[in-house]
Amino acid sequence: MDAYLAAMLVFAGLYALMALGLNLAWGLAGMVNLGLAGFVAVGAYGSALLTVRLGWPMPLGIAAGTLLAAVAGAGLALLVARLRGDYLAIVTLGFAEVIRLIASNETWLTNGTDGISGIPGPLRGAVTPQQFNLVLLGLVWGSVGLVFLLSARLSHSPFGRVLRALREDEEVAAVAGKPVLAFRVRAFALGTAICGLAGALYAHYNGYVAPDGFAPLLTIYIVLALTAGGGGSMRGAVAGAVLVIVLLEGTRFLAGAIPGLAPVQHAALREASVALALLLLLRWRQQGLIPERTLTKAAP
Amino acid sequence: MMRIGRRAALLGTGVFAIGGRAFAQAMPVTFGALPPLTGAGGPYGPAMLRAIQAVVEEANAAGGIPTRQGGRPIRVVAEDDQTNPDAGVRSARKLIDVDRVSAVMGTWASAVTTAVAPLCWENRVPLFTVSGADSITQLPHQGYVFRTQPNSRLQVTTATDWLLAQGARRVFHLAAQSPFAQSSQEVMAEKLRAAGGSVTGFVIYERDKTAFRSEVDQLLRSRSDTVLLNGYLPDVTILLRELYRAGFDGRKLTFAYAANQRTFEALPNEVTNGLITFQPSPDMDSGAFRRLQSRFGGTEVDPYSAQTTDHAALAILAAAQAGDATGVAIRDHVRRITGGEGEKVDNVTDGLRAIVAGRAVNYEGASGPCDFDEKGDIRGTKFRFEVAEAGRFRLLQMI
Amino acid sequence: MEDWRDLLQVLVNGVMAGSVLMLPAIGLNGIFAVLRYPNFAVAGFATIGAFAGWVANVAWGMPAPAALAFAFLVAGVAGLLAEEAALRPLRPAGPLTVAIGSVALTLLLENIIRFAFGNDLRGYDLPVQRDWRFDGIRVNPQQLANAGTALAAAGALFALLAFTRLGRAMRAVADNPVLADIKGVDPDRIARLAVFLGAGLAGLGGMLVGLDTSIDPLTGFRVILSVFAAAVVGGLGSIPGAALGALVVGVGEELAGVILSPAYRSVTAFLAILLVLLLRPQGLFGARA
C-alpha cells in the first residue's frame, strides 16, 4: 500500500508539472495547448534516446529533453501564436497526433511502437524499488516546487504582467508597444518546456517510453486538472493534479463496488466519470477550486 | 456464455465466487488480470478476462490451491490497462501493492507489457502475457515473464513455410504498424527469396483509418498470388471487405487473432469464405485439443482467450505444485508443471487432482503445450491452419 | 504512380473516402455557424448514429434507408439533449470552454456506447457488393450509394437553408445574431435546430462510415481528425465549404498515402488544418471567417 501511494504521488507530481506547464501558456497568456501530450512525448523521447543511445548522464538528458520540448513549442507557437483560442485548440490537438505518428513510424529513431526500454533511473537498481519510488517522489515534487517558485516569480515579473495584459486585451497591450508575438511565443515555449521536463522525468521513472503512452487521454487529464484547479492559478494546478489522480484511482474502487456489471462496463464507467467530472467542473467551477485572487476575469 | 459472463463479472469485482466446497478459513490467493477493456485492445480484453475467470471458477470448484493449511480459494482482481502503458503502470501498481496479487496475467499491448514488466520483476510477481513484440522476453526479467504468444519470427517462419508448401510464390505483405511489422517482413522476404519467390509489396498502414482502398490497389497491381494481412480485428475486417469488393482472388492469410467469430458477425460469409488463419495450437491428438473443441463448440476460441486460459491454469497449477502461492514460488514451478515426463493434463481440475495425489503433471493448454524456454518464450508449439467456410473455421492442417 | 489510370483511381478513392466525411463536417460547420464553437462531440454523435442505425437495421430488421433515417433522428436528439445539458451552460465562458467541454462530452458518449454495447465489432445486415469497373477504374456500388446519400442529405440541407423561412432565419442568426434577434428570430430556437441538424448529420455520416467498414465505440474517434480537417479547409462555419473540404481532405489523404506513406495519412489532415488556418482562416471556399 505504501508503495502504491508513493507511486501515485509520483504520478500526481508529474501531472502537476504538466498542469503548471499548461497553466503558464493558458492561464497567463490565454493560449490553450491541447497538444500537451505531444510535448511530454518530445521531452520523454529526447531524454530517453540521449541517455540510452548516446550514454549521456541523466541530468544532461533531462535538460536536453526539456530544451527540445521548448524548441518544439517555440516552433509551433511561431506559426500559430496569432490564432484564436478554439482554432489553437484544433491545431495543437492535431500536432500531438502527428508527434505520436512520428514516434510510431520512424523506427530508426524511436524504435517504433516497440518503444524504448531500459531507460536508466536515478539510483535504480542500487536501492529497493520502494526506495526508488521515494527518490523519484523527492525529485518530482522538488521539480514541482522549483517550477512553482519560478512561475510565481515570472508571474509577478514585468513579463508576467504583460502576458496577463495580453490575455485580457491584446490590442491594448500592442498599443502599449509590447511585441505581442514574441511574448506569446515565449510563454508557450516555457509551458512546453515544463511539459518536456515532466516527460523526461516520466521516462526515467518508468524506464520505458512508447507512443501509446502519449494518447490524447493524457491531455484530457491535465486539462481536467487545470480546470479543477482554476486556470491562471498555480496552486490550483497542483491541487487539480492531485485531484485527478484521486479521481482516476478512486473510480477503480468505486466502479468495482457496483455489482452486476461486466468488467468492460466498469471500465466504461471509469472513463465516463472522468469526462463527466470535467463537464461538471467546467460548469460549476469555471474559476476552479482555488481561483487566482488577483484576477478580475475568469480564464480563459 | 452469458451465464458464465454474469457470474464471472461478480468474481471480477472482488466478490468471492467459491464453487462447490467449503474452504477452511484459508486466505484467498489473488491473481491480477490486466487486459485491455478500452482503447485499441478493447475488442479482445473482455473475452480474455472471461477466460481467466472461468478457469479460476473451475479451480475453486475443485478445491482451490492445496496447501498444508488446506485449500486456498482464488480470487481475480481485474483492472483495465486502457491499451495505454501509463494507465497500465498505474493499474499494475494497484494490483501489486494494494491487492498483493501473486501473478499478473493477460497483458495484451506490447507497450503495456514492456512498461509493466519491470514492476513485476522488481516485486517478484510473475507476468503472463500474450504480447507479440520479440523484445519482451529479452528484458532482464529474471524469469518472471512468461509469454504464451510465440515470438513473431517463429510465427512468420511457420506461415511462410506453409505458404511455400501451398505453392505461393508472390506474397504481398499488408501490415498495421506494430512492433513486429518490420521484423515479420525481413523474415518473410528472406524465406521467400531462398525458395525462388518474392515479397511483391510491403505496406505499413495506419491502423486507425477507415479506408484502405489505395493500399488494396497496390496489392492488385502487384499481381500477387497471396496476401498476408498482418493487422488486428478492426482493420483486417475492413481489408477483407475491400479485398472482396476488389475481386482479389488470391490466397488470404491472417493471424487468427485478427479474424475470429466476430469477423463472421461483422461480415457476410461470401466475404470471409476462403480466408485462412493460423495460430499456435495444442497437438491434434492431445486431450487439450479435444477439450478445446468440445468446450468452445468447435475450434472457434480466439487465440488470446486461449492463451489467458492457460495463464490462469499455469499460475494455479504452479502454485499447487509449490504448495505455496507466492510470486517466487509460481515463477519457480511453472516449468515443473509444463515440461518433463509427468501425467498429461489439459485442465485445472485434473491437474489439481493429480498434484494433490502427488503425481507429476505436464500441462498442455488451449494455446499449445506451454513449454517455456529459459527466456520465457514458448517452444515446441504446433500451429493450426484453418479456413473460413460459411461462417465457421474448418481445420486445414496442423504443423 | 505508373500511369494516369492509377492517378485517376486514387482520385476516385479519395472522393469516396471524402464523401463519408462530408456529413460530419457539415454538421460541425452547421453548429459552428450558429454557435461559434468547434464541437469535438461530432465524433460521439457519429458513433451514436452508427449504433442507432445498427439497432434499427440488425436488431429490428429495418432496411438501410429507414435505418439511416433512424440514425439521423437518434443522433440529432442525442446531440440536442447533450448540448442542452452539458454544453449550453458553458457558453457564457466562451467558445474555448465549450470546445473543451465537447472533448469531454465525446469521451462520455463513447463510453455510454461502450457501456451499452461493449467493444465488439458489429456489421450491418447488408450484402457486400463487388466493385464496378469502368475502363479499369474500380468503384464500389455501396460507396457510390454512400456518396449519393451524403450528397442528397447535403442537398436537402441546402434547400432547407435556401428556400424555407426557417432556413433563412438560421442564416440570419449565423450572419448576425443580434440583428436577427431584433428582427424577431428566436436565436435559442435556431441554435437548438442547428444542433439537432448538425448532430443528426454527424450521426448519418457515422452510419455511412459504418456501412463502409464496421462499427465499434471508436468509430467516430477514428475519423474526427479528418472531419475537422474537412471543416477547417472548407472554412469553419461554411456548409458548402465543408462539403468541398471533405472531398479535398479525402483526396489529399489518399494521395499522401500513395506518395508519402500509408502510415502518414493523418499528417495530411493536420498539415491541411495548419496551412488553411494560417494562410486562409476563412477556408479555401468560404468567404466568412
Side-chain angles (χ1 to χ4, degrees), chain B residues 237 241 262-268, chain C residues 50-51 53-55 57-59 120-126 128 207 210-216:
Chain B
T237 304
R241 179 194 300 266
R262 287 287 156 201
T263 314
F264 295 131
E265 282 162 35
L267 291 172
Chain C
F51 274 85
W54 182 85
V55 169
N57 174 239
V58 177
D120 292 329
L121 286 184
R122 287 153 206 273
Y124 296 96
D125 191 11
L126 280 181
V128 178
M207 179 161 170
L211 284 173
D212 206 22
T213 58
S214 55
I215 61 168
D216 68 8

Side-chain angles (χ1 to χ4, degrees), chain A:
Chain A
M1 193 70 192
D2 296 352
Y4 171 69
L5 288 178
M8 288 316 118
L9 278 174
V10 174
F11 273 100
L14 292 170
Y15 284 11
L17 274 178
M18 295 175 204
L20 284 172
L22 187 62
N23 178 58
L24 210 88
W26 188 5
L28 279 179
M31 292 175 73
V32 70
N33 179 5
L34 295 192
L36 178 133
F39 296 103
V40 175
V42 169
Y45 269 99
S47 191
L49 285 171
L50 290 169
T51 50
V52 172
R53 295 265 173 87
L54 302 182
W56 285 26
M58 251 177 284
L60 218 55
I62 294 172
T66 310
L67 192 68
L68 277 173
V71 171
L76 183 66
L78 268 174
L79 286 174
V80 302
R82 289 191 178 285
L83 291 183
R84 262 173 58 171
D86 45 348
Y87 288 12
L88 200 57
I90 301 173
V91 173
T92 49
L93 205 61
F95 175 80
E97 287 301 282
V98 170
I99 294 285
R100 203 154 63 101
L101 271 183
I102 293 174
S104 300
N105 288 303
E106 296 309 307
T107 313
W108 60 275
L109 179 67
T110 63
N111 207 25
T113 42
D114 233 354
I116 300 164
S117 59
I119 303 168
L123 299 179
R124 188 199 292 279
V127 296
T128 66
Q130 174 59 352
Q131 284 166 338
F132 177 71
N133 262 340
L134 296 176
V135 169
L136 257 292
L137 191 61
L139 194 63
V140 168
W141 280 96
S143 307
V144 173
L146 199 67
V147 167
F148 193 98
L149 287 177
L150 288 177
S151 330
R153 289 192 56 177
L154 197 71
S155 170
H156 295 104
S157 71
F159 178 67
R161 283 198 292 275
V162 174
L163 285 180
R164 270 200 299 268
L166 275 180
R167 188 189 63 187
E168 300 300 321
D169 195 331
E170 193 168 304
E171 277 167 32
V172 172
V175 168
K178 302 296 177 190
V180 173
L181 182 69
F183 271 97
R184 301 191 84 182
V185 169
R186 273 157 68 194
F188 195 85
L190 271 173
T192 60
I194 298 169
C195 292
L197 171 65
L201 290 173
Y202 172 85
H204 293 290
Y205 177 52
N206 270 351
Y208 176 64
V209 291
D212 285 350
F214 308 102
L217 206 56
L218 178 64
T219 303
I220 296 182
Y221 292 162
I222 305 305
V223 170
L224 174 59
L226 196 59
T227 315
S233 152
M234 288 184 304
R235 281 186 305 148
V238 176
V242 176
L243 196 78
V244 164
I245 288 291
V246 169
L247 180 72
L248 288 179
E249 293 302 306
T251 47
R252 267 185 218 294
F253 299 92
L254 283 181
I258 304 170
L261 296 183
V264 64
Q265 291 178 314
H266 287 142
L269 275 185
R270 271 191 74 208
E271 281 198 357
S273 61
V274 170
L276 196 62
L278 180 50
L279 279 169
L280 291 175
L281 280 164
L282 282 171
R283 176 168 187 172
W284 301 114
R285 315 241 14 146
Q286 275 163 23
Q287 318 72 15
L289 295 175
I290 309 174
E292 192 183 24
R293 263 168 289 169
T294 54
L295 263 182
T296 49
K297 190 173 133 195

Side-chain angles (χ1 to χ4, degrees), chain C residues 252-266:
Chain C
E253 289 196 2
E254 288 299 319
L255 277 175
V258 175
I259 296 167
L260 195 62
S261 149
Y264 276 122
R265 284 202 215 183
S266 294

Side-chain angles (χ1 to χ4, degrees), chain B residues 121-265:
Chain B
W121 79 64
E122 280 171 2
N123 290 285
R124 300 184 187 161
V125 172
L127 173 65
F128 296 84
T129 178
V130 307
S131 296
D134 292 351
S135 54
I136 286 169
T137 45
Q138 281 145 30
L139 297 168
H141 60 73
Q142 303 154 32
Y144 283 102
V145 172
F146 296 93
R147 173 165 62 184
T148 45
Q149 176 86 340
N151 75 35
S152 64
R153 182 164 286 273
L154 176 59
Q155 299 219 48
V156 176
T157 303
T158 310
T160 314
D161 284 341
W162 186 82
L163 284 175
L164 284 167
Q166 305 298 307
R169 289 297 176 271
R170 297 176 59 78
V171 182
F172 196 96
H173 186 193
L174 260 174
Q177 183 57 275
S178 78
F180 44 88
Q182 194 65 43
S183 59
S184 303
Q185 168 65 11
E186 282 155 20
V187 171
M188 197 163 66
E190 193 187 309
K191 293 224 81 160
L192 280 171
R193 214 173 18 247
S198 65
V199 177
T200 48
F202 173 42
V203 170
I204 294 187
Y205 58 84
E206 207 181 321
R207 220 163 111 187
D208 279 344
K209 282 288 155 189
T210 50
F212 300 110
R213 281 180 80 80
S214 295
E215 284 86 338
V216 168
D217 283 327
Q218 285 195 46
L219 162 63
L220 293 180
R221 277 199 296 274
S222 70
R223 297 191 314 282
S224 307
D225 55 44
T226 303
V227 60
L228 173 66
L229 303 170
N230 188 354
Y232 297 90
L233 257 179
D235 37 298
V236 166
T237 304
I238 298 172
L239 280 167
L240 286 172
R241 179 194 300 266
E242 211 52 76
L243 289 171
Y244 175 83
R245 285 169 162 180
F248 176 74
D249 51 8
R251 220 177 266 106
K252 292 169 293 197
L253 177 70
T254 191
F255 294 81
Y257 55 70
N260 59 24
Q261 207 54 37
R262 287 287 156 201
T263 314
F264 295 131
E265 282 162 35

